[in-house]
Amino acid sequence: MSGGIAPSVGTIHAVDLSPAMLAQLTAKEALRDKVVAHCQDLLEAPLDVQVDLVVSAMAMHHVRDTAALLRALRAHLRPGGRIALADLDAEDGTFHPADTEGVYHAGFDREGARRAARGRRLRGGGVRDGGGGAQEDRPYSVFLVTARAA
C-alpha cells in the first residue's frame, strides 16, 4: 500500500511493532528515501509529528483497544487531514489460525467502524467495499473507512 502512495507524498512515517515488517517495507525500492520507520506502539509512545494522511491496512483487528488507537491516530492528524482505515469485515474467526497471537477481533461491522471513526473528531467520508480475496481457499472481504479531521 505504501508503494502506491509514495509518489504522491513527501515522507511516509511507517509505524509497526514488528521490526521484520518494517524491514520488509524499507527494503522496497519504490520507498527508498521516503520512509521513516518507527518500531513502537503509538498508544504508549506517540510520534512527535502530525501528518496530512493516516493509512492503516489490516491492522485494527490486531489491536485490543481500537477506540484508544483511533484517538491516537486522530491526534497525529493535522486539521483537515485525512484518514483511511481498511480492515476485515466481521467474520467467523477463521481468517487467522486459532492459535495466532495478537488477534483481538474477528473483523468489524462496517457501520460500527464508521460510527467509531466519526466519534473521534473525524467527519465526512464513509465506509465502502475495500476488496478482499481468499486465504487458504476461504474468502474474506475488507472495508474501507475514510474521514477528515475536524
Side-chain angles (χ1 to χ4, degrees):
M1 178 173 285
S2 296
I5 64 172
S8 301
V9 300
T11 301
I12 296 171
H13 291 274
V15 181
D16 202 299
L17 295 175
S18 167
M21 293 296 285
L22 290 169
Q24 284 183 351
L25 181 71
T26 57
K28 295 181 179 182
E29 183 64 33
L31 300 177
R32 190 166 313 282
D33 301 323
K34 285 275 190 174
V35 175
V36 177
H38 304 272
C39 190
Q40 64 193 69
D41 183 338
L42 284 180
L43 299 180
E44 295 178 14
L47 301 179
D48 61 352
V49 63
Q50 285 195 309
V51 297
D52 296 312
L53 174 66
V54 168
V55 176
S56 173
M58 299 296 284
M60 297 293 286
H61 66 274
H62 292 284
V63 176
R64 186 183 317 268
D65 188 346
T66 55
L69 183 60
L70 284 171
R71 284 190 300 274
L73 294 177
R74 169 59 186 92
H76 287 87
L77 279 175
R78 290 185 181 112
R82 295 175 183 259
I83 191 165
L85 306 171
D87 215 305
L88 287 171
D89 277 307
E91 48 102 18
D92 64 4
T94 60
F95 180 78
H96 290 286
D99 60 348
T100 303
E101 291 186 32
V103 177
Y104 300 103
H105 307 278
F108 299 93
D109 166 78
R110 289 181 180 203
E111 184 57 25
R114 185 191 66 77
R115 281 194 313 271
R118 293 193 80 184
R120 303 291 175 261
R121 294 183 7 249
L122 296 165
R123 66 176 191 269
V127 62
R128 61 181 151 268
D129 184 46
Q135 183 160 296
E136 296 182 18
D137 296 326
R138 291 187 315 269
Y140 66 92
S141 61
V142 175
F143 65 87
L144 175 65
V145 172
T146 59
R148 183 183 293 267

